[in-house]
Amino acid sequence: MFKKNKNKKSGSSALGEKGIYNARELGAPKMLVLGFQHTFAMFGATVLVPLLTGLDMQTTLLMAGLGTLFFHLVTKFKVPAFLGSSFAFLGGYAAVAPFLPDGSPNTEMLPYANLGVVFAGLVYLVLAALFAIFPVEKVMRFFPPVVTGPIIIAIGLSLAGSAVDNCKQNWLLAIIALAVIIVCNIWGKGMMKIIPILVGIIVSYIVAVCMNQVDFQPIIDAEWIGLPITKEGMVFGNIHDKGKAISAIIAIMPISLATMMEHIGDISAISATTRRNFLADPGLKRTLVGDGLATSFSALFGGPANTTYGENTGVLALTKVYDPAVVRIAAVVAVLLSFSPKFAAVINTVPSAIIGGVSFILYGMISGIGVRNVVENKVDLTKSRNLIIVAVILVCALGIDSLDFSVGEFDISLTALAVAAIAGILLNAILPGNDYVFKASVDDEAAEAPKEDEKEQTA
């Protein structure tokens, strides 16, 4: 049985107050089980990003684990968050380093895309510094939901075509993957409801094996143990064209404006779930630094951008065990898995049609999150200024292929998302009537619920 911890001291040892259960009272075996549960929760989405971008699977898992551990260090081991692969940057990777015609990764351009992600991560440090210097309300005034919501919507819609193209490879497998995800998400119980993407991939993969659509030779040839970092994906030594580098930075860096808002939303959600105001302690200035530097470090060595994972917040809400030590166990497991090329080979044999089926709903959900961002923040679209900002962002993101120009000897190319983000921020700053006020405190009602979960739970 879970036992309530009466300890009132600060830090992770005090996570037993207000009906919250301390995992350390369960002992090491049950803590390991809880840690593996967090690993499964993040796994499906984390490994999907390298499949959609061409990045290395082992590097992705390594950087997710190391990034999470670094985040916990920066946030004084207080925030029970897991940093997995970010989907927000998929549009940037597709623009800078699209797959080659034969479906193979664009190894020449991936380092340039990663360079853009490095600079995107550094933007987090700028916002963190602003939070340290100025009141949070003044900083967030430049990034209201009327700007970030439509950008998130555009990210999902701009990727819709690639999902359909993958589905066309085998619509049966794509529909099976999509159907399983929907069933698990709507009618699933316990872990089945938390990891619908992973379940969808497994079920459709089994069907693909039965249809003789999977080549097992790469799995047979792969080694059991191997280094998780490859030279091809690293920024170091692979950047030779300054023009391409600048174009990639300008194309990808503005995406951080949306992901930083996503970060703030995730930290707010974790705060409400655990009934602790992490926006104040350790504060956004620390959580942003942890997330941003983890993203930059990951991209430098060939991994994707990192972000705080809502899937793991769901696990927190399910188990009522909020001890950050459990999340750190999941991070160590991810690091250990990254050293197995055979494990990575298994993932790489997943047919593209299955990836298409997963992406079909996933990209739509990204847009749905943007809509939710607008609705939950009660953006008033009866106001002309707000309607103009939304309209310009969506048309720029979905109607423009790219904006190409030269600065001196450098040829610069802005992606549609970059143009949309810049246009939205500038319009919001210029047009009169910006009355958005960011609330840094955790919502009192959310912080108190659910009180019925203060009862003892069965392990």
Side-chain angles (χ1 to χ4, degrees), residues 101-453:
D102 62 356
S104 60
N106 193 336
T107 55
E108 178 187 353
M109 293 304 299
L110 276 175
Y112 291 94
N114 283 335
L115 180 64
V117 175
V118 170
F119 278 83
L122 296 179
V123 176
Y124 281 66
L125 305 186
V126 177
L127 186 59
L130 293 176
F131 279 126
I133 298 172
F134 301 103
V136 61
E137 293 82 3
K138 289 187 176 181
V139 178
M140 292 300 296
R141 185 177 176 83
F142 292 95
F143 309 102
V146 71
V147 173
T148 58
I151 291 175
I152 297 172
I153 293 172
I155 288 173
L157 294 179
S158 66
L159 294 168
S162 64
V164 174
D165 288 341
N166 281 328
C167 290
K168 290 178 180 178
Q169 303 299 317
N170 190 317
W171 274 106
L172 176 60
L173 290 177
I175 292 174
I176 290 174
L178 176 63
V180 172
I181 291 172
I182 293 173
V183 170
C184 289
N185 187 258
I186 301 298
W187 293 286
K189 303 294 183 181
M191 284 300 297
M192 294 291 286
K193 190 176 184 67
I194 295 175
I195 55 171
I197 293 176
L198 181 59
V199 176
I201 291 176
I202 291 174
V203 172
S204 53
Y205 186 85
I206 292 173
V207 174
V209 171
C210 295
M211 296 172 60
N212 199 28
Q213 297 290 309
V214 178
D215 180 11
F216 291 104
Q217 193 59 44
I219 302 175
I220 298 172
D221 296 339
E223 300 291 335
W224 281 103
I225 303 295
L227 294 177
I229 295 179
T230 61
K231 182 180 178 181
E232 289 77 12
M234 295 175 62
V235 170
F236 305 107
N238 289 317
I239 303 297
H240 307 292
D241 190 314
K242 292 182 179 179
K244 290 181 180 179
I246 295 175
S247 295
I249 292 170
I250 296 177
I252 292 180
M253 193 166 63
I255 298 175
S256 63
L257 299 175
T259 57
M260 285 188 294
M261 301 308 105
E262 179 187 23
H263 170 95
I264 294 171
D266 287 340
I267 297 300
S268 298
I270 296 173
S271 296
T273 300
T274 62
R275 283 161 274 173
R276 289 183 173 274
N277 192 350
F278 295 125
L279 297 172
D281 181 24
L284 286 171
K285 59 181 180 292
R286 282 184 172 272
T287 62
L288 283 166
V289 167
D291 198 344
L293 288 182
T295 288
S296 295
F297 182 78
S298 173
L300 277 174
F301 290 93
N306 284 332
T307 187
T308 46
Y309 256 31
E311 290 91 336
N312 294 89
T313 303
V315 176
L316 295 175
L318 177 71
T319 64
K320 306 300 176 290
V321 178
Y322 306 145
D323 194 330
V326 173
V327 179
R328 292 194 286 274
I329 291 173
V332 172
V333 172
V335 171
L336 294 177
L337 288 175
S338 72
F339 282 86
S340 176
K342 192 172 287 291
F343 175 78
V346 172
I347 302 301
N348 284 324
T349 60
V350 176
S352 58
I354 294 177
I355 303 303
V358 173
S359 303
F360 198 95
I361 189 169
L362 188 62
Y363 294 159
M365 290 179 69
I366 293 175
S367 295
I369 290 171
V371 173
R372 187 180 68 185
N373 181 268
V374 171
V375 173
E376 289 181 348
N377 287 280
K378 300 179 180 179
V379 176
D380 189 357
L381 292 180
T382 63
K383 292 184 177 181
S384 295
R385 77 173 302 275
N386 292 344
L387 202 57
I388 289 172
I389 293 171
V390 172
V392 170
I393 289 174
L394 292 178
V395 172
C396 286
L398 302 177
I400 297 176
D401 291 329
S402 64
L403 181 61
D404 304 319
F405 58 95
S406 298
V407 178
E409 62 182 39
F410 301 119
D411 294 325
I412 309 299
S413 179
L414 289 178
T415 63
L417 285 173
V419 174
I422 294 171
I425 293 169
L426 289 177
L427 282 175
N428 177 70
I430 294 171
L431 297 179
N434 184 2
D435 56 359
Y436 175 69
V437 177
F438 175 75
K439 297 180 180 179
S441 61
V442 179
D443 184 80
D444 293 336
E445 183 178 349
E448 290 296 325
K451 289 185 178 180
E452 65 271 13
D453 292 325

Side-chain angles (χ1 to χ4, degrees), residues 65-112:
L66 294 180
T68 299
L69 295 175
F70 176 77
F71 176 85
H72 281 239
L73 175 65
V74 173
T75 56
K76 301 188 288 188
F77 303 101
K78 290 185 176 182
V79 185
F82 191 97
L83 268 61
S85 305
S86 173
F87 287 89
F89 288 88
L90 291 178
Y93 276 101
V96 176
F99 279 92
L100 300 177
D102 62 356
S104 60
N106 193 336
T107 55
E108 178 187 353
M109 293 304 299
L110 276 175
Y112 291 94

